[in-house]
Amino acid sequence: MVQKYQSPVRVYKHPFELVMAAYERRFPTCHLIPMFVASDVVNEETSEDGSTQKIERRCALDVDAPRLLKRIAGVDYVYFIQKNTLNRKERTLHIESHNETFSNRVVVHETCCYSVHPENEDWTCFEQTASLDIKSFFGFESTVEKIAMKQYASSIKKGKEIIEYYLKELDDEGLTHVPRWSPSSHSLPLSSPTSLSTNQPELGIVPADSVPLSADARDGPSQDAKQDSNLLQNDSLAEILPGTPEDKLDADYIKRYLGDLTPLQESCLIRLRKWLQETHKGKIPKDEHILRFLRARDFNMDKAREILCQSLTWRKQHQVDYLLETWSSPQVLQDYYTGGWHHHDKDGRPLYILRLGQMDTKGLVRALGEESLLRHVLSINEEGLRRCEENTKVFGRPISCWTCLVDLEGLNMRHLWRPGVKALLRIIEVVEANYPETLGRLLILRAPRVFPVLWTLVSPFIDENTRKKFLIYAGNDYQGAGGLVDYIDKEIIPDFLGGECMCEVPEGGLVPKSMYRTAEEVENEDIRLWTEMIYQSASIFKGAPHEIVIEIIDASSVITWDFDVCKGDIVFNIYHSKRAPQVPRKDIQGTHGITSPGGNNVQLIDKSWTLGQDYSMVESPLTCKEGESVQGSHITRWPGFYILQWKFHNMAACSATNLPRVDDVLATLQVSSHKCKVMYYTEVLGSEDFRTACCDVQSLGSMTSLESSHSGFSQLSAATTNSNQSQSSSMISR
């Protein structure tokens, strides 16, 4: 595998001619590069007017490698061929270098260029590219590659320091200006500051910058060497062609706005950015965002490129780049979504506060739908990116992530409502995929006993690197040393956490059911960020119930359900059969002359079946009124097929007079065309998961149980029964 390197543009704030004078002083010997021991000029050419000079030399490096490796290689020095072309008229120096020793086993190629800064002719730019291809090396290919990467990264960092050292030496000697070349100056002797002496090797990519062996390798590669070596693994990007100056990254810009990166991390950023500029047709993400994806994949170029391209496609498809301009939070979010931005932490990171314990997750999902809730969360992330950029300018240092403070006071089993948790997991999945490395720290405060259940549900969906950023405080532990004051200035601790700063985050509360969306509104939702919805919608007619079948393999499994009666009154039944139902009949609505876009009606129980013989009722019927929400579970006793049925509720005759009640007559008049509507969600839990969940719910008391269960949504049914008996429990809320 060919390993590659591309440097950022390094800027010397000195004229080209002065940099060349400093450049010459590195040779023929330099105490700052002890490995470079000798060089012989093998060819030299100078143009008639003296503006162009070409020098080719053979350079020797005293490789300081493990003794065993040197003995196997059978050499004391490694030789490189270096070709330098100085154009005084154009004010450029181009350098090419390749290895002569072991050229049939190892191929090292490097190019460098000194040129005038495109925006300031009194400044000088330096760029460097290199490639390393180890074909074979006596069985030590991996060792040589690691040594090479370590040595190369070290030499890159020293390059600018050496030039700066000699520039200072020139300044101390009083040499602060070297005149530019002109046609009349070509007669100057070669020893003048404006020329390159034939017995002074040029800098460029001298072999010292390319040699793959180092004394430090005797004790094995350092941690930095391992990391930088890994950066170049599995990299199949095409070699980057030189771009225009406007397309290139300045090393000082990287340090100021992106942070301290190793040379090979800089290379990854530059090359991925360049690849996007050449191949991506849409909007190119900002450098900070590209860097986040690289960090999320430990600077593996191919992996980072893959997830970044997927994210860019997603952003374009859903117009996320324009979300802050186009998205307007509905009033229900402004009133009941208990989250908001609040100053910044001690590191200058934007601070987001979420009072999750005060949030009515079910109410928000039912009132807004998953799409609106997701868009709101995405707008929060987009705002976070904007605030990071703003704080980077304000504080004068790179700030690429934010801190989130989550207050869990008030968290209870209501927050573990299955569809709500599932919506939360899907939101986490979208955010993890498209906003990596944006969370710098997560402070979880006042975690109650039920928190480990929620943690068990969501933690598998959170990246391992992200989980390491979580700090969890139970009770009032956050108030002392090691708590909030270590991360947030005392002056901005919110009032509801015992601080003195007023926080404008809404207090939340229950979302009124009058704000819930109707089934028709859910079905007619046009733009979706998800391909499927948590809830299913069904129409129920007189004489045409809606039925679904659930196959149970393991006895003592748990069937859970959550449904809302959107229109009319219904009866809910659960049946068991050893026989698989027939293929469902479709287009039942057509027989009633009623259309219901998106709604469905399926009947599974064949009319030829006999209750008690072909199938049996395992629970007593449950009558549910319009507007009611029903949650429940059933512990199965036998394997087979369980049929959940929603049936039109016929008026019950008055037991005394055999006449219909007035309320029932009025209810009948309100149900047009004898049609009812429900929205439902079901899930099957394994028996082991359910029993583990029950134990968790009953024994939660410490943070030590954070990873005690791997069940999906098993903790949602706190009321349990003996597993050797088929029982059901339902809770109705109005």
Side-chain angles (χ1 to χ4, degrees), residues 386-514:
R386 189 194 67 79
R387 287 174 178 260
C388 285
E389 291 183 30
E390 187 177 278
N391 285 16
T392 295
K393 298 175 182 177
V394 171
F395 292 99
R397 61 178 181 273
I399 295 174
S400 61
C401 54
W402 52 83
T403 293
C404 185
L405 187 155
V406 180
D407 179 24
L408 296 182
E409 184 182 50
L411 188 76
N412 52 45
M413 294 302 292
R414 175 184 175 84
H415 292 85
L416 302 183
W417 173 63
R418 292 185 305 279
V421 173
K422 195 165 185 179
L424 172 62
L425 296 180
R426 296 169 76 171
I427 289 174
I428 290 174
E429 185 178 6
V430 172
V431 172
E432 281 282 314
N434 298 284
Y435 299 91
E437 297 297 316
T438 54
L439 181 65
R441 183 181 295 117
L442 180 66
L443 303 171
I444 299 177
L445 309 184
R446 301 196 279 193
R449 294 179 62 194
V450 76
F451 170 70
V453 179
L454 182 61
W455 176 257
T456 301
L457 298 177
V458 303
S459 60
F461 294 85
I462 301 174
D463 180 75
E464 181 180 355
N465 291 332
T466 303
R467 290 202 299 269
K468 294 177 181 177
K469 302 172 184 177
F470 285 30
L471 297 172
I472 303 170
Y473 300 89
N476 294 322
D477 293 346
Y478 68 91
Q479 295 179 342
L484 277 186
V485 291
D486 284 12
Y487 307 103
I488 302 174
D489 289 329
K490 186 177 180 180
E491 294 76 18
I492 65 170
I493 293 179
D495 51 347
F496 62 85
L497 293 175
E500 300 178 356
C501 186
M502 294 297 296
C503 184
E504 298 181 357
V505 174
E507 295 183 359
L510 295 178
V511 178
K513 285 195 173 182
S514 60

Side-chain angles (χ1 to χ4, degrees), residues 401-690:
C401 54
W402 52 83
T403 293
C404 185
L405 187 155
V406 180
D407 179 24
L408 296 182
E409 184 182 50
L411 188 76
N412 52 45
M413 294 302 292
R414 175 184 175 84
H415 292 85
L416 302 183
W417 173 63
R418 292 185 305 279
V421 173
K422 195 165 185 179
L424 172 62
L425 296 180
R426 296 169 76 171
I427 289 174
I428 290 174
E429 185 178 6
V430 172
V431 172
E432 281 282 314
N434 298 284
Y435 299 91
E437 297 297 316
T438 54
L439 181 65
R441 183 181 295 117
L442 180 66
L443 303 171
I444 299 177
L445 309 184
R446 301 196 279 193
R449 294 179 62 194
V450 76
F451 170 70
V453 179
L454 182 61
W455 176 257
T456 301
L457 298 177
V458 303
S459 60
F461 294 85
I462 301 174
D463 180 75
E464 181 180 355
N465 291 332
T466 303
R467 290 202 299 269
K468 294 177 181 177
K469 302 172 184 177
F470 285 30
L471 297 172
I472 303 170
Y473 300 89
N476 294 322
D477 293 346
Y478 68 91
Q479 295 179 342
L484 277 186
V485 291
D486 284 12
Y487 307 103
I488 302 174
D489 289 329
K490 186 177 180 180
E491 294 76 18
I492 65 170
I493 293 179
D495 51 347
F496 62 85
L497 293 175
E500 300 178 356
C501 186
M502 294 297 296
C503 184
E504 298 181 357
V505 174
E507 295 183 359
L510 295 178
V511 178
K513 285 195 173 182
S514 60
M515 304 183 75
Y516 285 11
R517 296 187 308 164
T518 65
E520 287 78 8
E521 289 175 324
V522 174
E523 292 167 358
N524 294 330
E525 198 167 46
D526 293 329
I527 302 175
R528 295 183 175 179
L529 294 173
W530 285 312
T531 57
E532 59 180 79
M533 303 297 291
I534 290 177
Y535 276 99
Q536 301 287 334
S537 178
S539 299
I540 300 160
F541 306 95
K542 192 171 184 178
H546 177 69
E547 297 162 345
I548 63 172
V549 63
I550 298 174
E551 184 177 5
I552 298 296
I553 305 298
D554 181 19
S556 299
S557 296
V558 182
I559 301 173
T560 65
W561 57 82
D562 180 280
F563 64 86
D564 292 328
V565 185
C566 304
K567 183 177 181 181
D569 299 341
I570 60 99
V571 177
F572 179 63
N573 292 302
I574 306 177
Y575 300 100
H576 173 264
S577 175
K578 295 181 180 179
R579 298 168 54 186
Q582 296 290 329
V583 177
R585 290 176 289 160
K586 300 181 180 180
D587 195 30
I588 296 299
Q589 291 102 321
T591 63
H592 292 267
I594 300 172
T595 59
S596 177
N600 64 82
N601 179 278
V602 177
Q603 288 138 60
L604 299 171
I605 299 177
D606 195 278
K607 290 184 178 180
S608 63
W609 282 15
T610 302
L611 183 62
Q613 295 181 5
D614 300 292
Y615 68 107
S616 60
M617 182 179 291
V618 296
E619 293 296 340
S620 300
L622 180 66
T623 301
C624 308
K625 300 290 185 180
E626 180 176 326
E628 290 182 345
S629 297
V630 182
Q631 299 179 40
S633 61
H634 174 83
I635 304 178
T636 63
R637 185 175 180 180
W638 313 281
F641 300 90
Y642 286 79
I643 300 172
L644 277 58
Q645 180 192 75
W646 290 267
K647 183 179 179 181
F648 187 90
H649 176 54
N650 292 313
M651 290 185 303
C654 179
S655 59
T657 63
N658 216 26
L659 294 175
R661 296 174 296 177
V662 174
D663 291 344
D664 293 334
V665 173
L666 293 176
T668 301
L669 295 175
Q670 294 174 355
V671 180
S672 61
S673 304
H674 302 288
K675 174 184 175 182
C676 299
K677 204 146 199 175
V678 296
M679 293 177 61
Y680 64 90
Y681 168 85
T682 63
E683 185 176 4
V684 178
L685 312 174
S687 57
E688 290 299 324
D689 286 342
F690 187 72

Side-chain angles (χ1 to χ4, degrees), residues 207-224:
D209 291 340
S210 306
V211 100
L213 300 177
S214 162
D216 297 334
R218 287 179 176 146
D219 299 325
S222 66
Q223 188 65 29
D224 288 341

Side-chain angles (χ1 to χ4, degrees), residues 49 129 163 225 229 586 618 627:
D49 62 359
T129 63
I163 292 294
S229 179
K586 300 181 180 180
V618 296

Side-chain angles (χ1 to χ4, degrees), residues 317-422:
Q317 180 181 356
H318 302 293
Q319 298 293 298
V320 178
D321 289 329
Y322 310 102
L323 191 61
L324 290 179
E325 292 78 19
T326 59
W327 168 254
S328 178
S329 298
Q331 190 62 42
V332 65
L333 276 175
Q334 299 177 31
D335 295 338
Y336 296 99
Y337 189 87
T338 54
W341 295 99
H342 181 77
H343 301 282
H344 55 79
D345 68 5
K346 287 187 175 182
D347 296 323
R349 296 167 173 165
L351 176 62
Y352 190 84
I353 293 179
L354 181 63
R355 302 184 67 179
L356 185 60
Q358 306 299 316
M359 186 181 296
D360 180 10
T361 53
K362 177 177 181 178
L364 288 174
V365 173
R366 292 300 316 279
L368 293 168
E370 302 163 64
E371 300 304 309
S372 294
L373 195 57
L374 174 59
R375 288 186 184 277
H376 183 65
V377 173
L378 296 182
S379 72
I380 293 172
N381 282 270
E382 290 295 309
E383 174 65 15
L385 297 178
R386 189 194 67 79
R387 287 174 178 260
C388 285
E389 291 183 30
E390 187 177 278
N391 285 16
T392 295
K393 298 175 182 177
V394 171
F395 292 99
R397 61 178 181 273
I399 295 174
S400 61
C401 54
W402 52 83
T403 293
C404 185
L405 187 155
V406 180
D407 179 24
L408 296 182
E409 184 182 50
L411 188 76
N412 52 45
M413 294 302 292
R414 175 184 175 84
H415 292 85
L416 302 183
W417 173 63
R418 292 185 305 279
V421 173
K422 195 165 185 179

